[in-house]
Every structure is written in structure tokens, then in C-alpha cells.
Amino acid sequence: MGKSKTTKFKRPQFNAVGLPPANAVKEVDAEEEDHGDDGCPAAELLEKLQSPSADVREFACASISRVVQQSQTIPVFLQRDAVRRLGPMLLDNSLAVRETSAGALRNLSACGGQEVCEDMVKHDVMTPLTALLRESCAAFESATVATKVQKNAVEDVANEAVNLLWNLCESSSQSLSVFNKAGLLDLVVQCLERHPHNVELAISAAHCLHTVTEDNPELLCSLNAAVLGVLESVLLTSQPDMAHTLLRTLAAGTLWNMKGSLPAARQARTLNAVVATLSQCLDLDMGTLIPELRQAEEVRHRNTPPAAHSEDQAAGELAVAEMDEEEEAPKRNRKGKAVRVDNDFSDLLPRDQEELKEATALLTAQQTSLEIIVNLCCSDDPSDDEWEEESSSDESDMGPDSLCDGVSNLMSPLCLSAEVHEALINHSIPEKVLKKTEFPRKEAMDMCQQIPSWRCLIKKIQRVQSRALTCLHSILSTMDAESLGGAAALQGAAQHLSKLVFGAAEIPKDEEFLEAVISAMRSLLQMIASKNIPQCMTPQQLMSLSEAATRCDVVSVRVNAVAILGITGSTLAKEKGTAETLQMIGNALLQVATKDANLVVNGEALDALFDVFADGDEAETASKNIQLLPALKALQPVFKAKIRKEGRGKYSPQQLCVLDNIKVNLRRFIGYLEKVVKK
């Protein structure tokens, strides 16, 4: 989602997201102490928007921009009709007021989420925003823009406007409809065309295009050769800096979104160019480049007057504080999907903190590249987004009685087109993705930790690793073992993932990492099991993984952990001398099936039990030793009652379908065990 970045109140002194100068900040802070219990100066700041002085209006917009970054203040502004009062400021006679008002609305949209974006659209913010974009783009080459300073001011206004548009279209289907009908595509493409002169504006436009072209058939119908030409020209740029790397990556993602509208004769060439761009981005080694960028910053500081350096450092630390204040929270986009709000305030940094901005652009580019590769691998099946919550067990063959007939195999490999498959293999994408799943280099992490202004990169570095793991899961779900290098390569990947999870004294507790690594491990173990390749996880590691997962609040982590137990157990059941390990796995699965609060997790655990104890002497011995039959008989009425009581209100129709199948299979499996006991 396009993050809030408002402009400086007075240059060259830094201000975050329209933040006033340091003395003005203190003034606002002092005012906040006198504004009642909520500490929010909303009424006074909104009143100042009506001032005849442009400086006062600019100050008010910039102050609002800063205050609304504290999301608890947003309701106060909305109650006082802030959107309706800020909207006209977008067309103020002062360029500075236009810029700061767009920054204030941008922050309001970014920090307020979907509900606030919908409210902004309801208050018709799109009308002045559209007019502002038209005027700004018309002024890019206008004779009235006489000086470079004026031209930069116009482009700064356009930058804020495009970011506001990006946020609104990400969260509001009504905004997207206006975008489609009002001809805003051409305006955003005009901003993208400024890339030779203003890469920051071009990146904002590319972010916006990447968003609006996703799942938007109405817009795709109106695309023309000129739009494609601009995007392809961006891909052909050769500047090696990280900002241009990010720009090319976003253009590649937009071209992929537009794949259905490409002329047939250009599709293969465009696909190859897209994958080549992503491949080049992933070739960059953040562990080397980030310390190098920091060293370059140190050299520059040594050649900078001390006063300027201290001012720059203070500004950078303020920007980092802004980034750290806005922790990520799950929000919903216009399609109702959960999305993470990316608290990227990198453009709040002073204009001369280029090294840190470059490092941020590198990490954003690599994260985006990995997300695009996931889209390359995934089908358009709407159920894909909820695979972890809706899936049943991966092993549907439960012996002679076919106990799992009728259960949807929601984790079956997706259909990957031959062209995409070939492009990914030709550019060594699987190997590069696997490389990105490694833990970040310690030297880079230590350096970021030690420098306050660089500390904000730590979460971004970790997110690249998590995205790489998610990407690896998608690749494993869509490619065959031979394409990935055969048994030896798969075993190497399994050892690598095991090291990520079990290499430290404790299993990592970070939920985003745990969710990604366990989903990748599940896909890999499923592939290994299907090829009868020995897997490298010990029983002790399995149990520690299971225990860590049961303590995790994320449902998908618990689902995947029990699925891994099922995959491993069903493999061990075919080997001699494994009854003791099967007992351990069986007891763990029974615990989850009985005690987990989530029905989907209960169902996955039962499905895993069906797989593990479906057949074989070792499984029979283990099932008797853990009293599996009486345990399941006792669980059966509880499970049925839980589905009846909780199912309709809390779970989707597809999840309920899977749960109903598991309920039927539980009855049949109990019958199967009763026959085994009577032997």
C-alpha cells in the first residue's frame, strides 16, 4: 500500500510527512498538552485551513499530516469532517499547500486503512484529486513553469497526489472505478514517463500502476500500445542504482498483471523480459551492498561540515522514529483480502541521505520481485489465498478402504504454463529464491542494529527472507522434482530448511518467518514423500516443531505443522522399527485434534492421523499402544457437535465442506480400526 510520505515544511530542513520544522513541532506538541484528554489539536488545526495566509494553511496541513500518523487520533479528525475540509486544499493557489494537503490525506489513508479510504471516497476526495493530477501533469512541460525550482515543486505535488491515489485504489473499489472511468491511467503513465528526470515520482507512479492493474479487467481492456511502450522503455533502462532497480521491478510486475491484454506476438518476449528483470534484482546481494552503502555514507559524513552532519543525523533518527511508530497491522484491501500495511516512510528521509534510501529501495525491490514470482506461480483460483486454512491433508490414499474419497486435495500442484516454467528455469529462479531464504548476513544485521537511522532496515531484511520462503513454497507447489534438480537438490533444500528452523538453540518465534518457513517445509516434504526420498528431520525435531507451532496464534502455522507430522508419519509407517516414533506422532496429533480451539486445525490433525495409521504393521502396533480407537470414539461426538455449533458462523463454505468430509472419514476410519482390532 502506498505509504505516507509528506513533504518538508521548509527546505532544506527535514520534516517527516509534512512535518513542520523542529521549532514548529515543539509548538504543536505544546499545543497538544492543552487540547483536552485526547491530546489531539484537531479542531484548531482544521480551523487554520481557512486562514487567508498560505503559510498558516501549509503549517496546518503539515501538522495534520504528522498527527494522523498516530492512528488513535484519526477518529477525532474524521468526526470533525477533516476529509471534506482538506479536499479543497488540493486545489489551493499555493503549491506548498497543495503538496502538504495531499500529504495529510495520504497519511490519513495510509494509517486509517480501508474504512477511512472508503469514507474519503464517500466525501468525494477523488474529484479534487483528479483535478489536481490533471493540472500537475499539464504543468510538467508547461511554459508557465519557468524555473527548475517551480518544476520540482509541481512534481513534488504530483508525487503526493499519486501516492494518495495509490492508497485509495488499493483499499477502495469505488476509487478504482473512478480511476478506470476518469482516464487517470494516462495521467499516472505521464508521471512514470518522468523517470529520466524524477525517479522518485516515477517509482510512485509505478507502485500505483502495479496496484491498479491487478485483477482489474475493466482497465486492462483500455490499455493501448503507448502504455505498453512506456513500461517496456522502463525495463530497458540500465542505471545500476537501487531506485532504478525498484522502478524496473514494479514495471515488470505491472506488465505481468497486463499479460492477458498483450498482443500474442509480444507475450513470450514480454514474459522473458519480466523474468529477466526479477532475476537481475535477485542477483543483488543485500548482505554485501548494505554495508557498502553504509560505508559510503560514512565517507560522505567525513567530508561534510559537522553542523550539517548533526542536523542530517537528527533528521534521519526522526524519520526512523516515524517508521517504528507505525507497526504493521493486518488490514483489508478493496477485494477484502488481508494485506500487511508496509510502514515504509523512506521518503521522509532528508534528500541527502541517499545511501539509506538506496538500501530501502533495494529491499523493497527484492521483496516485490519475490511477490511477483509467487504470482507467476499461482493460478487465479480464488481459494489460493486461503489454502492454509482450508486445506485437508495432502495424502489422500488411505489404504484399501479409500477412507479419504471425496476430500478436496487443496494442496495439489497448480498448473504452471510451459512458458512460465521455462522462463523461471532458464533464469535460475528456483536457485536464486532458495539463496534468498538464508538468514541475513550477521555483519549487515549488526551494522543496522548499531546505527539508529539504519535500524528500520532490520524488519525489511527479515521480510525479504520470509517472502523468499513463501516464494519457495509456491515454486515447490508448481514444479516437478526433476525441474528442481532431482533427489539430491531436494534433500539439500530440506537440510537447508531444517537448519533455518532447528539451527539455533530455540525455534524462531517470529510469526511471519514461522508461517513462511513451515509452509515451504510442508511443500518440500510432500514432494520428497511422493518420490520416496529419505527426509532429514529427526523425531525430536518433529516434536519440537509441533510444540512450537501449537503455541503460535497463526492458524496456518498450526495447520502446516500437523500436516508435516502427517506426511512424515505416513512415510515412517512404511518402514520397519518405527512404531515408537509413530506413537509419539500419534499422541501429538491426538492432542491437537482434541484441544486446539480452531476446527480447521482439529480437522487437519484428524486427517493426518488417518494418513499415519491407515496401513501397515508398525502403524497397527502404534495405534494399539496409544489406544487410538477409544480416543477417536470419544472425540467423534465432540467433533460433530463442534462443527454443528461453531461451523456456520466462523468458517467459510469451503472450509465447512472439508470439515464435513473429515467428519465422514472419521466415522469410516473408526470402522477400519475396529476391523484391525478384530484380526
Side-chain angles (χ1 to χ4, degrees), residues 423-641:
L424 294 176
I425 295 298
N426 287 345
H427 290 282
S428 304
I429 294 297
E431 294 88 343
K432 293 178 183 183
V433 169
L434 186 63
K435 181 74 175 171
K436 292 298 175 188
T437 66
E438 295 175 358
F439 279 120
R441 192 171 296 178
K442 186 176 184 298
E443 294 81 0
M445 296 294 279
D446 288 347
M447 183 275 295
C448 291
Q449 187 62 49
Q450 291 161 10
I451 311 298
S453 58
W454 288 65
R455 205 168 288 156
C456 58
L457 297 184
I458 293 175
K459 289 179 183 177
K460 297 178 185 299
I461 292 171
Q462 292 168 336
R463 186 158 302 114
V464 169
Q465 182 192 26
S466 294
R467 293 296 189 274
L469 287 162
T470 300
C471 190
L472 179 62
H473 157 72
S474 294
I475 288 171
L476 290 166
S477 299
T478 53
M479 289 189 176
D480 55 49
E482 289 68 32
S483 298
L484 297 171
L490 293 176
Q491 280 189 312
Q495 289 167 354
H496 168 66
L497 292 183
S498 294
K499 186 177 179 182
L500 291 181
V501 177
F502 305 112
E506 289 186 353
I507 290 178
K509 294 183 174 61
D510 179 77
E511 289 183 349
E512 188 175 0
F513 170 80
L514 203 55
E515 183 175 15
V517 75
I518 286 184
S519 69
M521 190 175 285
R522 173 179 177 169
S523 296
L524 182 57
L525 291 179
Q526 181 182 348
M527 182 177 284
I528 284 175
S530 70
K531 297 293 180 182
N532 294 318
I533 300 169
Q535 62 108 329
C536 58
M537 289 177 64
T538 66
Q540 291 73 25
Q541 288 175 332
L542 274 174
M543 290 305 104
S544 63
L545 178 63
S546 175
E547 289 168 10
T550 56
R551 294 192 296 271
C552 182
D553 291 335
V554 180
V555 169
S556 65
V557 171
R558 306 202 300 276
V559 165
N560 283 321
V562 296
I564 287 171
L565 288 178
I567 293 166
T568 305
S570 61
T571 301
L572 291 174
K574 300 169 186 174
E575 302 173 8
K576 296 293 183 184
T578 57
E580 189 174 336
T581 303
L582 293 177
Q583 288 174 213
M584 193 162 51
I585 291 173
N587 280 324
L589 291 172
L590 275 173
Q591 280 282 103
V592 175
T594 306
K595 295 186 177 179
D596 196 287
N598 188 283
L599 263 174
V600 174
V601 183
N602 300 148
E604 187 74 46
L606 285 170
D607 223 3
L609 282 167
F610 304 158
D611 292 339
V612 175
F613 296 100
D615 194 21
D617 294 339
E618 298 294 327
E620 283 185 26
T621 301
S623 67
K624 290 173 183 175
N625 290 345
I626 65 172
Q627 298 291 297
L628 181 60
L629 178 58
L632 291 179
K633 281 185 172 181
L635 176 59
Q636 185 180 26
V638 177
F639 184 65
K640 288 171 65 176

Side-chain angles (χ1 to χ4, degrees), residues 387 391-392 394 408-413 473 477 522-523 526 560:
W387 66 266
S391 63
S392 178
D394 304 311
S408 299
N409 190 351
L410 300 178
M411 282 292 291
S412 60
H473 157 72
S477 299
R522 173 179 177 169
S523 296
Q526 181 182 348
N560 283 321

